[in-house]
Amino acid sequence: MKAITSDIKQKKLFLLDIDGTVSFDATPIDGALDFLVEVTARGGKYVFITNNSTKSIEDYITKFTKMGIPVDHSSFLTSSTATATYLRHRYDNQLLYVLGTKSFIKELRKYDLQITEEVNEYTKTKIVAAVVGFDNELNYAKIENICELLQTTDVDYLATNPDLACPVSYGYVPDCGAICNMIKEAVKREPIYIGKPNRLMVDMACELSGFTKEETIVIGDRLYTDIACGINAGVNTVVVFTGEAKYEDLKTTEFPPTYYCDTIKDLYIALKD
């Protein structure tokens, strides 16, 4: 573990978290655009791997285009994508209950998954798994539905990501992990998490891009998701201190990054150095 150096010039595939790493809401963090332009100029590729399941890839393309960041469909792998891939492999043609945003559900349905948002006597006989995503459209009826389902049936229980707080412009809001912790207090069950720190998104990015693990680096602001994901996938990592992680956390973390730096601007400087 050391401060960022020009060693990262050897990397070609840069896998970046979004919230707290590249931007806050719709505002890019200083140096983000310069860094991304430099990656492209050096013949590399950047892919955003995010645990935020509130938006579809089309939503992210619109958001990033407005921020002036060049992107296309290949620029994103989300916990929605990873979850959909997992669900299709395991539960194809079986009914799933989903607690999440309209965009999240729309994204899952693109994979021809059978989804319901209703819990009643009929659906409870058909549902095989409950799935929770980060939901900024959450209401109490959704909480009641999933609590009923998890306590009255023996369905599998899955969630997109264990993040507790999502960075926003004024601080933080509860993320998927916090929603699941609230549910846990009522039903005494914990989900299997599909997004980071699961290595799936890194493996998918390498496979789709053609770059090797040695050419790949994960960059993020959370030690227990972003950095743990990179470690689990066997690639180098960088933690930035513009989001959840702080420098003092490095002394006690179970997930030490390969490198650390204050902001994404430091990565740009290291590439240009």
Side-chain angles (χ1 to χ4, degrees):
M1 180 169 56
K2 60 183 178 180
I4 195 68
T5 71
S6 59
D7 292 350
I8 65 163
K9 289 182 178 181
Q10 301 168 16
K11 303 301 181 183
K12 292 294 184 182
L13 180 59
F14 295 81
L15 305 181
L16 298 109
D17 179 53
I18 297 175
D19 304 306
T21 300
V22 172
S23 68
F24 291 115
D25 294 335
T27 303
I29 292 172
D30 184 36
L33 183 55
D34 290 335
F35 171 73
L36 299 173
V37 168
E38 183 64 20
V39 167
T40 303
R42 300 179 67 85
K45 181 175 179 60
Y46 53 84
V47 176
F48 301 101
I49 57 171
T50 177
N51 271 353
N52 189 332
S53 61
T54 61
K55 296 180 176 65
S56 67
I57 289 178
E58 285 77 10
D59 293 332
Y60 275 117
I61 289 173
T62 299
K63 173 181 176 177
F64 274 65
T65 300
K66 288 180 179 177
M67 289 194 291
I69 298 175
V71 291
D72 57 29
H73 276 79
S74 71
S75 305
F76 299 94
L77 282 172
T78 72
S79 60
S80 301
T81 308
T83 300
T85 302
Y86 180 92
L87 293 174
R88 184 166 186 181
H89 176 74
R90 185 159 184 146
Y91 302 106
D92 196 26
N93 294 320
Q94 299 182 79
L95 189 62
L96 308 169
Y97 172 79
V98 177
L99 184 159
T101 63
K102 291 180 178 64
S103 285
F104 177 48
I105 291 170
K106 180 180 178 182
E107 194 79 355
L108 294 183
R109 284 188 167 134
K110 290 178 183 177
Y111 288 75
D112 296 324
L113 294 165
Q114 305 302 308
I115 292 169
T116 183
E117 298 176 73
E118 301 295 327
V119 174
N120 53 49
E121 292 308 311
Y122 174 74
T123 59
K124 284 196 292 184
T125 67
K126 300 294 183 181
I127 295 168
V128 296
V131 183
V132 176
F134 174 28
D135 190 356
N136 56 10
E137 300 162 4
L138 187 64
N139 57 52
Y140 208 75
K142 292 183 181 182
I143 296 295
E144 289 181 314
N145 277 345
I146 197 165
C147 286
E148 178 181 349
L149 185 63
L150 292 174
Q151 291 178 98
T152 60
T153 69
D154 190 29
V155 297
D156 293 343
Y157 181 24
L158 310 164
T160 55
N161 60 290
D163 302 66
L164 298 173
C166 179
V168 292
S169 59
Y170 52 81
Y172 297 90
V173 295
D175 207 323
C176 181
I179 294 171
C180 292
N181 282 350
M182 174 175 61
I183 295 167
K184 174 187 171 184
E185 292 301 315
V187 306
K188 311 305 179 190
R189 288 189 63 180
E190 293 188 68
I192 296 171
Y193 290 104
I194 307 302
K196 297 177 289 185
N198 192 310
R199 63 181 288 168
L200 181 59
M201 280 192 279
V202 175
D203 291 339
M204 290 173 67
C206 289
E207 181 179 351
L208 291 168
S209 68
F211 290 112
T212 66
K213 293 290 180 69
E214 291 72 23
E215 295 173 306
T216 302
I217 192 163
V218 171
I219 303 160
D221 69 298
R222 298 183 187 196
L223 294 163
Y224 63 95
T225 54
D226 302 319
I227 304 309
C229 176
I231 292 170
N232 290 337
V235 303
N236 285 168
T237 58
V238 182
V239 67
V240 294
F241 301 131
T242 42
E244 188 171 311
K246 306 304 176 189
Y247 178 77
E248 51 268 26
D249 297 333
L250 299 182
K251 300 174 184 177
T252 58
T253 183
E254 300 175 49
F255 310 106
T258 313
Y259 305 101
Y260 59 86
C261 60
D262 286 334
T263 79
I264 196 169
K265 188 172 185 177
D266 297 316
L267 287 162
Y268 167 65
I269 293 169
L271 276 186
K272 288 286 286 185
D273 186 13

